[in-house]
Amino acid sequence: MSSETKGFWGSTLNKLKSALSKTKNTIADENLEITHTEPSDQSQITEESPAPESIAKEPALKPVTKVIKVDEEYLEDLEDRLIRTDMGLANVDKLMEHVRQSCRNKSMDSHELTTILKNEFFSILNEAPKSELKYTPGKLNIYFVVGVNGTGKTTSIGKLCWRFRQEGKRVLMAAGDTFRAAAETQLEIWSQRAGVDIVRLEDKADPGAVVFKAIEKARKENYDCLVIDTAGRLHNKTNLMAELKKVRGVIDKHASDLPLEALLVLDASTGQNGLQQAKVFSEVCSLSGVILTKLDGTAKGGIVFSIAKDLGIPVKLIGLGEQMEDLRDFEPDLFVEALIA
């Protein structure tokens, strides 16, 4: 692994730990908190260590585990804390059934209990397809982005386009949100920030016409990526969802031969309501993945497990901050490590 990769890994893990701190604090109690007694050897830090931001400002401390008596009272308290993360009742019930089988009436240290929880979390996330964002070289790749207003959809599109541009790809935006006032202007500002091109028509234009023109332009001019914005539709507004289905139909009719990702942007703080949004949007758009935003402001990061278990849809990207580079790949290993380490 290169030093650059190690640094990025460390940076992402550090950001995840910060973003998931509220969720982690909901899961953990004082018995799962690692205690510390002595500084570690700082001479082990090398040029290939994680990025500086992932190294604590205080001297690193060696962990000392605690012995915990895992009785029924402790397990019930753990169950309550998991429910508060919005993992979903059915998921928590199943997880706790496995934990009880492994832990009941045993004395174990915090490392052993942490390992059990990690394995359970990995098992849930592995029920969804792979979380890697798809890209096929040599073809036009379409990214159809949907979601409710206020979830960070436009910002996520801007950051995704910037990321593709940094990778040397030719990127085209399609301003398909013709319903909301100033939405197209807002997206155009993001296109300028990201350094990519954009297709937009007059205000209140048919969004299907925007998408058709964008596909046509992207094909003719050999773009690598077409990222399509859509109106922020409430999942319980039948007429708006029907219109979104028509826009998806334009893609299916005129670009059925091209790689397609249908991505739903979800605000992590909405918890189980976000799960309901995902169910409806999946029915209309055949979602292939989720972009999860605002993890740093909520204790409901458990929604990731609900999406994977209940819908079988992978979280593919997560928003970890305000900077352009803070839209990161969702990596299950890092997510669980940050949540429970």
Side-chain angles (χ1 to χ4, degrees):
M1 182 182 296
S2 69
S3 60
E4 181 179 356
T5 302
K6 284 187 176 182
F8 184 79
W9 192 95
S11 172
T12 301
L13 179 60
N14 184 58
K15 284 181 174 291
L16 264 172
K17 286 182 177 180
S18 176
L20 290 172
S21 59
K22 292 184 180 180
T23 302
K24 180 177 179 179
N25 289 339
T26 301
I27 294 175
D29 68 356
E30 62 181 7
N31 290 318
L32 279 180
E33 292 293 328
I34 301 296
T35 57
H36 306 278
T37 57
E38 57 180 319
S40 64
D41 183 2
Q42 295 296 298
S43 66
Q44 297 301 313
I45 298 177
T46 69
E47 291 183 358
E48 291 198 1
S49 298
E53 65 178 89
S54 66
I55 301 174
K57 293 180 180 179
E58 299 291 333
L61 300 175
K62 292 182 179 179
V64 176
T65 58
K66 288 183 177 182
V67 175
I68 306 167
K69 182 179 180 182
V70 184
D71 55 16
E72 186 58 32
E73 181 180 358
Y74 181 87
L75 292 174
E76 288 179 359
D77 182 58
L78 175 61
E79 184 172 7
D80 289 341
R81 286 183 267 122
L82 290 173
I83 290 172
R84 290 200 297 272
T85 70
D86 258 17
M87 287 183 64
L89 289 174
N91 295 329
V92 172
D93 285 345
K94 189 70 174 178
L95 184 151
M96 289 304 303
E97 179 183 340
H98 294 161
V99 171
R100 282 186 165 90
Q101 291 173 358
S102 302
C103 300
R104 189 184 298 277
N105 295 323
K106 292 182 180 178
S107 293
M108 59 181 63
D109 63 37
S110 55
H111 175 73
E112 291 173 311
L113 182 57
T114 295
T115 299
I116 291 171
L117 288 175
K118 280 185 178 181
N119 289 338
E120 291 299 322
F121 290 153
F122 282 135
S123 178
I124 294 174
L125 292 178
N126 286 337
E127 294 191 24
K130 290 184 178 180
S131 59
E132 182 180 1
L133 188 69
K134 295 178 182 178
Y135 175 77
T136 304
K139 287 192 174 184
L140 171 62
N141 293 260
I142 298 179
Y143 301 88
F144 181 53
V145 186
V146 301
V148 174
N149 284 335
T151 57
K153 177 168 60 68
T154 305
T155 300
S156 295
I157 288 173
K159 291 179 178 180
L160 178 60
C161 289
W162 179 86
R163 166 178 162 161
F164 286 146
R165 184 72 181 85
Q166 295 302 302
E167 294 170 350
K169 299 178 175 69
R170 292 197 69 212
V171 185
L172 181 65
M173 281 185 182
D177 184 357
T178 60
F179 182 78
R180 181 169 60 92
E184 295 154 292
T185 301
Q186 184 182 11
L187 194 69
E188 187 163 12
I189 292 172
W190 272 106
S191 74
Q192 294 167 359
R193 291 177 182 172
V196 303
D197 299 325
I198 186 170
V199 169
R200 60 173 296 187
L201 301 181
E202 66 278 1
D203 292 343
K204 304 300 181 182
D206 178 7
V210 176
V211 172
F212 174 78
K213 183 174 181 180
I215 292 173
E216 188 177 49
K217 177 180 175 67
R219 281 186 184 274
K220 287 182 178 179
E221 300 182 22
N222 296 319
Y223 283 86
D224 299 304
C225 303
L226 170 59
V227 183
I228 300 171
D229 187 20
T230 58
R233 300 158 198 281
L234 293 175
H235 62 288
N236 57 358
K237 296 293 184 181
T238 305
N239 57 329
L240 293 178
M241 294 300 287
E243 184 180 301
L244 185 61
K245 189 174 183 178
K246 290 180 182 178
V247 175
R248 173 60 190 261
V250 171
I251 299 173
D252 292 340
K253 181 177 180 179
H254 299 284
S256 60
D257 59 318
L258 299 176
L260 171 67
E261 286 266 32
L263 303 170
L264 171 65
V265 180
L266 279 182
D267 178 345
S269 66
T270 59
Q272 289 297 304
N273 184 52
L275 186 66
Q276 295 305 314
Q277 292 177 29
K279 287 179 179 178
V280 177
F281 275 99
S282 186
E283 292 171 1
V284 174
C285 302
S286 300
L287 298 175
S288 60
V290 167
I291 301 175
L292 195 64
T293 64
K294 307 181 185 180
L295 271 172
D296 54 337
T298 182
K300 297 182 179 181
I303 188 63
V304 168
F305 301 103
S306 290
I307 294 169
K309 177 76 172 178
D310 299 338
L311 300 181
I313 300 173
V315 173
K316 296 206 169 187
L317 298 168
I318 49 177
L320 298 178
E322 298 298 324
Q323 302 303 313
M324 281 289 205
E325 65 271 17
D326 287 337
L327 184 67
R328 304 287 179 99
D329 290 324
F330 176 76
E331 300 181 52
D333 290 359
L334 261 65
F335 184 85
V336 174
E337 182 71 21
L339 184 63
I340 201 68

